[in-house]
Amino acid sequence: MPIRMKVYRQGKETLVAAADEDLLGKTFREGKFKIEVGAFYDGDVVTPEMLAAHLKLATIGNFVGRETIEAAKAAGFVADGGILWIDGVPHAQFVMM
């Protein structure tokens, strides 16, 4: 399953947003939580290795989907305890301080 990744730069901050391609255009809700997997994530198709390389330069990461989360976990940016499940879809974030 392809991963889509978009990089945003603002001043000293670099945000990497990534999601499983098949989730683009979908919205997930569970209780008080809602996530829209829209244009924010709709960037280039990347491999898990390419995602990891970009994350090493990022200050913020935002991830949705099993494949994307597994790639971020393998690269050391997400831990099992940091995953929020919304309607069966994993979501995680990280911030470098």
Side-chain angles (χ1 to χ4, degrees):
M1 165 130 10
I3 296 172
R4 290 289 190 137
M5 179 192 76
K6 204 166 191 180
V7 177
Y8 299 87
R9 291 180 178 83
Q10 180 69 42
K12 295 179 182 178
E13 304 298 330
T14 299
L15 182 148
V16 172
D20 293 6
E21 186 174 51
D22 68 330
L23 300 179
L24 289 174
K26 297 180 180 176
T27 299
F28 302 93
R29 293 180 179 84
E30 185 170 337
K32 63 182 178 178
F33 298 107
K34 171 184 168 184
I35 187 160
E36 295 179 28
V37 189
F40 179 70
Y41 299 94
D42 192 4
D44 297 329
V45 173
V46 296
T47 64
E49 295 78 19
M50 291 168 68
L51 175 62
H54 279 84
L55 292 178
K56 290 176 184 172
L57 304 174
T59 54
I60 303 167
N62 191 311
F63 317 112
V64 182
R66 292 176 192 271
E67 185 84 16
T68 301
I69 297 277
E70 284 303 315
K73 277 176 55 179
F77 290 91
V78 173
D80 286 329
I83 299 170
L84 173 66
W85 290 82
I86 303 171
D87 194 20
V89 176
H91 172 60
Q93 299 178 345
F94 85 87
V95 177
M96 293 293 204
M97 303 191 73

